[in-house]
């Protein structure tokens, strides 16, 4: 039988923890059955012993952060190898034409035809072979991240939100760490690139002295933007909030795309606020 998980607390540290509950072990009766008068019988009931061990969340969060960084590094390596392969194809295209280079690249990978396809394949082979190896290992890391995220106390709630899954939870924890460390959702928003600065402008990449105050990371912002896009596409309660917000924003901005971006940003912040609240509540309940 598989082990089960329950939320509990570590008696020594007092930190929120997951209880690993082993399957019930059924012990034999303490005494044999004894028949009494009138055909009745007396028997000691079977005893069930449950053994529990605490699993500290800190190592789980630490591993998520390390595995996420590894995943991001490998993903960047894949993109770099793809760009290098396309650069080789561009050298084979007449006049370095980008469109023809794309045709050569696809033909070399088996989609379409081009006279330079075989030459391109030979030139690209070490790069594509390396990329395939990186991709294979990246997917294994992503599976590991999902398993780790499944052990977090908010996993069940996250999976109930349409458009969001364990991969998204792992990405947020990978970028932000333990959400209990943020005293309010506004600080989590800033970590993920969604803050409103003191002058009323949105947090963004900026040069000069103000860059330190903004603390903007395009990679972290990308994680939440992708999350918001999935929520909008999936439908559900958050999509309804998006729709209402988009109507509200339409009267305040000039274009539909601007209204869409503002409404999606609003939903992203709403989800992070709810996630932060659920996380903190779980931590307090099991201290």
């Amino acid at each position: 039988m598989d082990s089960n998980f329950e939320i509990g607390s570590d008696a020594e540290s007092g930190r929120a923890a997951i209880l690993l509950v082993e399957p019930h072990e059924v012990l034999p009766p303490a005494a044999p059955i004894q028949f009494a008068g009138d055909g009745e019988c007396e028997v000691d009931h079977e005893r069930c012993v449950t053994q529990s061990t605490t699993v500290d969340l800190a190592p789980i969060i630490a591993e998520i952060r390390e595995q996420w960084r590894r995943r991001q590094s490998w993903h960047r390596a894949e993109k770099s190898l793809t760009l290098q392969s396309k650069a080789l194809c561009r050298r084979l295209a007449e006049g370095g034409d980008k469109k023809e280079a794309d045709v050569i690249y696809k033909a070399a990978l088996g989609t379409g035809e081009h006279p330079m396809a075989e030459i391109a394949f030979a030139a690209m082979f070490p790069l594509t072979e390396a990329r395939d190896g990186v991709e294979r290992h990246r997917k294994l890391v992503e599976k590991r991240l999902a398993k780790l995220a499944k052990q977090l106390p908010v996993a069940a709630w996250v999976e109930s939100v349409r458009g969001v899954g364990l991969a998204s939870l792992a990405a947020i924890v990978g970028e932000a760490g333990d959400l209990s460390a943020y005293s309010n959702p506004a600080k989590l928003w800033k970590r993920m690139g969604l803050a409103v600065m003191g002058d009323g402008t949105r947090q963004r990449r900026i040069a000069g002295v103000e860059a330190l105050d903004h603390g903007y990371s395009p990679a972290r912002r990308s994680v939440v933007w992708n999350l918001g896009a999935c929520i909008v596409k999936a439908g559900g309660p958050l999509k309804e909030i998006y729709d209402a917000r988009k109507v509200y924003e339409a009267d305040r901005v000039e274009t539909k795309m601007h209204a869409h971006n503002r409404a999606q940003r609003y939903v992203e912040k709403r989800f992070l606020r709810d996630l932060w609240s659920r996380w903190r509540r779980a931590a307090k309940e099991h201290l």
Side-chain angles (χ1 to χ4, degrees):
M1 295 178 62
D2 294 333
S3 300
N4 297 317
F5 290 99
E6 295 179 357
I7 302 299
S9 61
D10 190 326
E12 295 183 0
S13 65
R15 289 179 292 187
I18 294 175
L19 295 180
L20 179 61
V21 182
E22 300 296 337
H24 285 174
E25 176 186 358
V26 180
L27 300 181
I33 297 175
Q34 297 180 350
F35 289 93
D38 298 329
E40 296 178 355
C41 64
E42 297 177 354
V43 61
D44 290 341
H45 294 288
E46 293 180 341
R47 295 173 296 161
C48 294
V49 177
T50 300
Q51 297 178 342
S52 299
T53 56
T54 58
V55 179
D56 192 357
L57 291 180
I60 297 174
I61 294 172
E63 185 178 350
I64 288 176
R65 300 201 72 184
E66 172 56 31
Q67 295 283 6
W68 175 252
R69 290 168 182 156
R70 188 177 303 175
R71 184 266 177 198
Q72 293 294 80
S73 295
W74 290 353
H75 185 53
R76 286 192 294 269
E78 288 179 66
K79 291 192 291 185
S80 177
L81 290 166
T82 297
L83 291 175
Q84 291 179 61
S85 298
K86 290 185 175 182
L88 290 174
C89 292
R90 191 174 180 184
R91 283 164 42 189
L92 299 174
E94 185 175 354
D97 183 71
K98 288 185 178 181
K99 291 184 178 180
E100 185 181 1
D102 287 338
V103 173
I104 295 173
Y105 175 77
K106 292 177 181 178
L109 296 179
T111 304
E113 297 181 356
H114 194 280
M116 303 299 292
E118 291 186 6
I119 297 176
F121 177 79
M124 291 164 45
F125 182 74
L127 300 177
T128 55
E129 187 178 35
R131 183 186 62 188
D132 292 343
V134 173
E135 180 184 12
R136 183 171 62 255
H137 289 287
R138 171 180 58 80
K139 289 181 178 179
L140 291 175
V141 166
E142 289 173 349
K143 289 183 179 180
R144 175 61 180 165
L145 282 167
K147 289 182 179 179
L148 290 167
K150 185 75 172 179
Q151 300 178 55
L152 296 174
V154 294
W157 174 78
V158 167
E159 289 185 295
S160 72
V161 180
R162 293 187 64 176
V164 187
L166 295 176
S168 299
L169 176 59
I172 292 171
V173 175
E175 294 290 353
D178 187 351
L179 303 192
S180 296
Y182 299 86
S183 59
N184 57 62
K187 292 185 178 181
L188 179 59
W189 291 341
K190 186 171 184 181
R191 174 67 179 176
M192 303 306 293
L194 291 167
V196 176
M197 305 308 294
D199 59 0
T201 61
R202 63 179 176 82
Q203 185 184 7
R204 63 194 185 281
R205 176 183 282 181
I206 193 171
V209 180
E210 294 180 349
L212 186 61
D213 185 38
H214 276 252
Y216 184 80
S217 167
R220 289 196 290 269
R221 180 67 186 94
S222 177
V223 166
V224 185
W225 188 93
N226 289 329
L227 172 69
C230 290
I231 289 173
V232 171
K233 291 178 182 178
L238 285 177
K239 173 60 163 55
E240 294 175 2
I241 294 174
Y242 160 84
D243 290 336
R245 187 70 184 188
K246 187 176 180 181
V247 172
Y248 171 78
E249 295 290 354
D251 296 331
R252 307 176 64 197
V253 295
E254 296 180 356
T255 67
K256 291 182 179 180
M257 181 55 68
H258 198 179
H260 159 74
N261 290 337
R262 290 173 68 96
Q264 180 174 312
R265 178 186 174 91
Y266 181 83
V267 169
E268 292 162 3
K269 296 180 76 170
R270 173 69 71 92
F271 173 78
L272 287 179
R273 186 201 68 181
D274 293 345
L275 175 63
W276 175 88
S277 178
R278 296 269 179 171
W279 187 294
R280 298 273 293 191
R281 189 184 310 162
K284 289 180 180 179
E285 287 177 355
H286 303 292
L287 283 177

